[in-house]
Amino acid sequence: MSRKLVLIFTFFVLIFLIGCSEKEVKVPLEEVGMVGIMAFDYIDEDTTKLTVAIPQYSPEAKRNTQIFSVKTDLVSKGIVKIEKLSDKKVILNQLRVVLINEEYAQKGNVQKVIQHLYRNAEVGNKVLIAIVKGNAEEMLKGKYLDKPNINFYLNDLLLPSINTAFNPNTNIHGFIYTITNPVFDPIIPVIEKIDDKIEIKGVALFKNRHMLEMITPEDALIIQAIQGRKKLAPLLIEMNQGYNKEKVMLDLIESNVKFESNKSVDSPKLTISLKIKGTLSEYKGKREHELNTPKSIAILEKDINEQVEKDIKKFIEKINDLEIDPIGLSENFRMYHKGKWNKKLTKETLAKLQVVVRVDTSIISTGTLK
């Protein structure tokens, strides 16, 4: 048989085989369970409780969300168990929020879960992460009278907002970036169910993959400001500088930060210059009847500068004592370092770091003073 006939024969055989191959089976939409929220609760070193919330879009559904919980040692194995309970093909394409029980985070298991999801092609990088005080399963199963859909409620609550004082890099991509970066330590917002509401209580600091402690939203705002966020949440400043106790609320804040490093790892020194500009939306204290002239406002600005400088220095001393760097201060020395940088160098730099803080406040208008 000639070569030409062999090629023709082979071509027709291939066409026949392709035509007889089994077509890809497509699953109907009504047979798919699209997970909106995944929650992880610690049971023991080998067992985790996995809970998922699946929105129900059918008008015949009695509830708008199905909640399933299983005990498992692997995330994938847990998903298979949930498929058996729901009688649907469970997919993660619409995953929006991952909840981690506080005890689970303290045991150092967050990275394992997030890395698994990060490698999953179905899961987007913008999936939000939160630490739950208490039980994550109970949070998903809770009743929220004015928020009937838990999927939308948590997603909207955790989206970066000018009114929420936590770092916006609380999604899967941001967590993986910080935990694998030698000049950063991760931070994740902490939420808690209180009655029929879910509230952001603070921000969790991490060290060596373990949740270390929770800081207040006010401290979290310092992280945002020093990291260079241009728009800040309303800032509450409490002072006691010759006028007894005073409370100042600045709103509509614009900020700008600059760093000056001496570039030395052996004797590191860093100058942080922070400019903030905003509206004096509220004041409570002895000066309430005096703040009506440019001179009195200038004196208040000076006092605010001194107080914010103290607050920033105190916070930096705290994270240095904890030997963590959620702000990324050591980056100002890494960029001048010849050779490979690692966590050990970050720790050594922070231990010797001298910080000078300069704050320049501009009050552009005044609001309610009382």
Side-chain angles (χ1 to χ4, degrees), residues 143-149 153 196-197:
K143 294 182 178 180
Y144 310 98
L145 300 179
D146 58 337
K147 307 286 184 180
N149 193 312
Y153 183 18
D196 62 344
K197 301 285 184 184

Side-chain angles (χ1 to χ4, degrees), residues 148 168 171 173:
N171 54 46
H173 176 75

Side-chain angles (χ1 to χ4, degrees), residues 91-365:
I91 62 173
L92 304 179
N93 302 69
Q94 296 300 313
L95 183 64
R96 293 289 178 265
V97 176
V98 175
L99 302 180
I100 307 290
N101 159 256
E102 187 175 18
E103 186 178 5
Y104 196 92
Q106 290 169 345
K107 298 292 183 181
N109 296 321
V110 178
Q111 184 178 4
K112 180 174 64 176
V113 169
I114 300 304
Q115 278 185 335
H116 172 82
L117 295 173
Y118 189 69
R119 292 167 182 159
N120 190 326
E122 289 185 355
V123 180
N125 289 341
K126 294 184 180 179
V127 175
L128 299 165
I129 313 170
I131 304 298
V132 176
K133 287 185 71 68
N135 190 284
E137 179 191 14
E138 290 179 4
M139 178 172 285
L140 288 188
K141 290 184 175 179
K143 294 182 178 180
Y144 310 98
L145 300 179
D146 58 337
K147 307 286 184 180
N149 193 312
I150 187 65
N151 293 278
F152 298 143
Y153 183 18
L154 278 173
N155 185 64
D156 292 344
L157 179 70
L158 294 171
L159 280 173
S161 167
I162 190 63
N163 293 314
T164 52
F166 64 88
N167 193 287
N169 289 329
T170 52
N171 54 46
I172 285 180
H173 176 75
F175 179 82
I176 293 296
Y177 172 77
T178 52
I179 205 164
T180 56
N181 193 322
V183 298
F184 281 102
D185 287 292
I187 59 175
I188 299 178
V190 179
I191 58 178
E192 183 179 10
K193 181 182 181 296
I194 301 176
D195 298 326
D196 62 344
K197 301 285 184 184
I198 298 175
E199 297 181 9
I200 296 174
K201 302 301 291 184
V203 171
L205 300 177
F206 281 75
K207 179 180 181 180
N208 298 329
R209 304 179 183 181
H210 296 260
M211 176 180 166
L212 194 60
E213 64 175 70
M214 184 183 78
I215 59 173
T216 65
E218 289 74 25
D219 283 342
L221 196 56
I222 291 176
I223 295 177
Q224 288 185 325
I226 300 178
Q227 284 186 333
R229 184 169 176 180
K230 299 299 182 183
K231 302 285 185 180
L232 297 178
L235 175 63
L236 174 64
I237 304 158
E238 297 186 14
M239 304 187 296
N240 191 355
Q241 302 184 36
Y243 293 88
N244 296 328
K245 292 184 178 180
E246 300 175 282
K247 291 186 178 181
V248 177
M249 179 67 79
L250 292 181
D251 202 355
L252 303 173
I253 300 174
E254 295 180 10
S255 71
N256 183 45
V257 65
K258 290 184 179 179
F259 297 94
E260 260 186 70
S261 165
N262 68 350
K263 308 177 185 179
S264 171
V265 177
D266 298 322
S267 55
K269 184 176 180 180
L270 186 66
T271 300
I272 303 173
S273 300
L274 176 65
K275 291 185 177 182
I276 55 177
K277 180 171 65 174
T279 299
L280 178 61
S281 62
E282 194 167 1
Y283 170 87
K284 187 175 182 180
K286 293 182 68 175
R287 287 188 258 188
E288 58 183 286
H289 301 299
E290 302 174 13
L291 300 176
N292 50 17
T293 65
K295 183 178 179 181
S296 61
I297 294 296
I299 294 172
L300 179 62
E301 289 173 341
K302 180 176 176 295
D303 292 341
I304 290 174
N305 292 342
E306 293 178 4
Q307 186 61 51
V308 175
E309 287 171 5
K310 288 179 182 177
D311 292 342
I312 293 175
K313 286 180 180 178
K314 184 178 179 181
F315 179 72
I316 291 176
E317 287 173 2
K318 177 179 179 177
I319 61 176
N320 286 353
D321 290 341
L322 294 172
E323 298 180 338
I324 60 174
D325 193 1
I327 301 172
L329 296 177
S330 52
E331 171 65 13
N332 296 282
F333 301 93
R334 184 210 61 79
M335 64 178 67
Y336 303 110
H337 178 73
K338 294 181 181 180
K340 190 175 181 180
W341 191 273
N342 52 40
K343 284 286 187 183
K344 182 181 178 183
L345 280 170
T346 294
K347 181 179 176 180
E348 291 173 353
T349 302
L350 292 177
K352 297 178 285 187
L353 181 62
Q354 295 181 13
V355 177
V356 176
V357 181
R358 295 172 183 155
V359 177
D360 182 11
T361 304
S362 296
I363 296 175
I364 57 177
S365 63

